[in-house]
Amino acid sequence: MNQIKKANSMNRAKTLATLLLVAAGLSACGNKESKPGQALVRVNGEEITVSQLNEELQRANVQAPQQEAASKQLIESLVDRQLLVNEAVQDKLDRDPKVVQAIERAKALIIAQSYLQKKLGAPTKPNAAEVEAYFNQHPEFFTNRKQFDMNELVFATKDMNDGLKGVIDSAKSLEEVASWMEQHKVAFGRTQISRTSAELPPELANKLVNMPRGQLFIIKEGERSLLVVIAEIKDVPVKLAAAAGQIEQYLVNKKNKDAADAELARLRGKAKIEYLNGRQPPEKAAAPASAPAAVEAPAAVTSDKSEAKADDAATARGVAGLK
């Protein structure tokens, strides 16, 4: 299974690299002429220009003192890329229908993003009062933040059967379950992990706080499942001074998202959108506000006496990852 996943990952990486190279090649082919003094290198007749180098420097966020040294490395990287682009075009990869479709998709995304950036303008920085208000409105993320230290047994979801479920329901410790799994040749691994209430969906964090100490519960994550027990719950409060920077960035992102949603709603309102071949528009549902999180929420949490469904989308979690 791991080999298959590794092969799929390598194939995806190769495909992405090809798409990027071909996209760069098409851009270069569409701009043969350059202003005098703009060309830095010619690779089999194809020019690498100052504007290309400046673009790479900007994307890499290279500061002025390091630009001279970085420029030399980036020029060589551009030469390598152009060589690969030339070979890709010679192999007619730029005519492959899947590649053409991917390039058109990338082009559409770039144009759409450019429109939003122009429409929204520079993000409005929240003032100190807004930052403090968010801090005070979410004590569960800051002043009352908890840290959950957990021990886990990790196993394949497909190995969950009636026998294993029965053992988990009656067991009083992870060791009992681990012993049964060893006897029945069920593969598993052991891990220790810590998560804070700022990193988990509020519903899940509340259930963990109130869960009896030592109770086993299962977190299902697609092809794998985790049998978890909380070893310790600690108070780990965060002060406003430490959280202010990340709260500020979260509020900026939220304002941008709200503005983008409003613009999309306006455009949809005046557009004629026709769903064809019997398709129906999805039911409109309000998306929850989100904040950056260090971990994704598990898809489901179950125990022998209770079942809790955690939101697997990003939810309002305050500022996660503060140490």
Side-chain angles (χ1 to χ4, degrees):
M1 181 66 71
N2 289 335
Q3 291 179 344
I4 294 174
K5 289 182 178 178
K6 185 176 180 181
N8 288 338
S9 297
M10 291 177 65
N11 288 336
R12 286 195 295 270
K14 289 178 180 177
T15 300
L16 177 57
T18 300
L19 294 179
L20 292 175
L21 291 170
V22 172
L26 291 181
S27 298
C29 291
N31 185 22
K32 294 289 186 180
E33 296 182 3
S34 60
K35 295 180 180 179
Q38 290 294 304
L40 298 171
V41 185
R42 285 193 181 91
V43 182
N44 294 329
E46 298 289 345
E47 292 184 346
I48 295 171
T49 65
V50 172
S51 61
Q52 287 177 279
L53 175 60
N54 289 339
E55 173 72 10
E56 296 297 325
L57 287 168
Q58 184 177 355
R59 286 183 178 277
N61 195 27
V62 178
Q63 302 303 309
Q66 289 80 40
Q67 284 191 359
E68 183 176 353
S71 294
K72 295 179 181 179
Q73 296 179 359
L74 288 171
I75 288 173
E76 295 309 309
S77 295
L78 286 168
V79 168
D80 292 341
R81 185 169 71 184
Q82 188 62 54
L83 287 169
L84 291 170
V85 168
N86 291 348
E87 291 300 308
V89 173
Q90 186 173 335
D91 288 346
K92 299 182 179 180
L93 288 175
D94 55 329
R95 303 181 190 179
D96 185 297
K98 291 183 179 179
V99 173
V100 172
Q101 185 178 24
I103 292 172
E104 288 302 315
R105 178 181 181 275
K107 179 181 176 181
L109 288 172
I110 292 170
I111 293 173
Q113 185 64 34
S114 297
Y115 171 78
L116 279 178
Q117 289 175 347
K118 179 181 178 181
K119 188 71 177 179
L120 301 182
T124 303
K125 184 178 178 180
N127 57 42
E130 291 177 296
V131 172
E132 185 174 0
Y134 185 86
F135 179 88
N136 292 332
Q137 289 164 7
H138 296 281
E140 69 276 19
F141 301 145
F142 306 110
T143 54
N144 295 338
R145 192 177 71 144
K146 306 289 184 183
Q147 176 177 306
F148 305 97
D149 296 335
M150 297 173 279
N151 298 324
E152 304 173 340
L153 298 181
V154 184
F155 59 95
T157 300
K158 63 180 179 61
D159 289 336
M160 175 62 80
N161 54 34
D162 291 341
L164 178 55
K165 186 177 185 304
V167 172
I168 292 173
D169 287 345
S170 61
K172 292 182 172 53
S173 70
L174 282 183
E175 291 305 318
E176 287 185 45
V177 180
S179 177
W180 185 93
M181 295 174 80
E182 288 174 345
Q183 292 174 10
H184 291 79
K185 310 299 182 184
V186 177
F188 67 92
R190 297 176 184 267
T191 62
Q192 293 179 325
I193 192 170
S194 296
R195 292 290 180 264
T196 71
S197 52
E199 297 172 286
L200 300 172
E203 181 184 357
L204 176 58
N206 290 336
K207 287 186 177 293
L208 294 183
V209 167
N210 297 314
M211 187 174 289
R213 198 65 61 88
Q215 180 175 342
L216 304 180
F217 60 95
I218 295 174
I219 296 176
K220 295 180 180 178
E221 295 182 339
E223 295 182 356
R224 74 170 192 167
S225 291
L226 292 75
L227 180 62
V228 187
V229 64
I230 297 175
E232 188 176 4
I233 301 176
K234 304 174 185 176
D235 291 322
V236 284
V238 177
K239 294 183 178 179
L240 175 59
Q246 292 187 49
I247 293 175
E248 181 179 289
Q249 186 58 55
Y250 165 66
L251 292 176
V252 167
N253 293 342
K254 186 177 184 303
K255 286 181 179 180
N256 282 346
K257 181 182 182 301
D258 291 344
D261 289 345
E263 177 61 12
L264 283 170
R266 184 187 72 82
L267 294 174
R268 280 178 170 269
K270 71 175 188 176
K272 181 180 180 181
I273 302 174
E274 300 175 86
Y275 292 87
L276 308 177
N277 299 323
R279 293 184 180 275
Q280 298 294 325
E283 293 184 9
K284 193 129 183 173
S290 60
V295 295
E296 293 182 2
V301 177
T302 61
S303 69
D304 55 349
K305 294 182 180 180
S306 65
E307 181 170 335
K309 292 186 177 179
D311 198 352
D312 60 354
T315 56
R317 303 171 194 173
V319 177
L322 291 172
K323 302 299 181 185

